[in-house]
Amino acid sequence: MPEQEVVERAKRDRQEGKSPSTQAGEFVREEMHHIREGKHGAANTKQAIAIGLSKARRAGVELPQPSERNTSARTRKQARRDSEKARQGNRRPSRTRSRAVTRALKREPRSAASPVALSRHAKAVARRQGAGARRAAARRGSSGLRRSARKSGA
């Protein structure tokens, strides 16, 4: 469950007319904080981002569905399920399943949210997007590379 403060920040972003990816960024940010403070871990940065995006979808952020081009059928199905959960309203989660997920995440390393890991991930995503995207990011300034990586949602 995301913290109430994070949900409020995302709602404020929505009221200000900011994009769904900006709203979802609040949930991803929260996830990174959870990992850094040792609440749980993640196998890698991509998983940490995915957990945040899933929470965002379930909280009602209207993120677009992942593209078929570079996303597995399983991930697309999960994204649809998360969006559907938001429309159904909050039903009580399974205690057994929640505990299983929490225990599994606690076994994962905490390095997924380290500055080095985030930087490496951002650069990898930027590389995949190609030279044109990197050039545009460089024109936007120093935070442009990170922003372009975040935009892709990977």
Side-chain angles (χ1 to χ4, degrees), residues 32-47:
M32 296 303 168
H33 284 302
H34 284 331
I35 294 171
R36 283 179 182 160
E37 65 196 12
K39 204 169 197 179
H40 59 77
N44 52 44
T45 307
K46 196 170 186 178
Q47 184 189 27

Side-chain angles (χ1 to χ4, degrees), residues 100-112:
V101 169
T102 305
R103 285 182 63 188
L105 284 175
K106 279 184 183 293
R107 287 194 299 269
E108 296 292 350
R110 309 294 189 260
S111 57

Side-chain angles (χ1 to χ4, degrees), residues 2 6-7 10 14 20-28 30-31 49-63 79 82-83 85-86:
V6 173
V7 176
R14 184 178 185 171
S21 67
T22 304
Q23 297 166 41
E26 294 294 342
F27 293 90
V28 174
E30 177 197 33
E31 206 50 45
I49 293 169
I51 293 168
L53 291 177
S54 175
K55 283 184 178 181
R57 283 194 175 95
R58 283 167 179 256
V61 175
E62 291 180 15
L63 284 165
D82 288 338
S83 298
K85 287 278 186 197

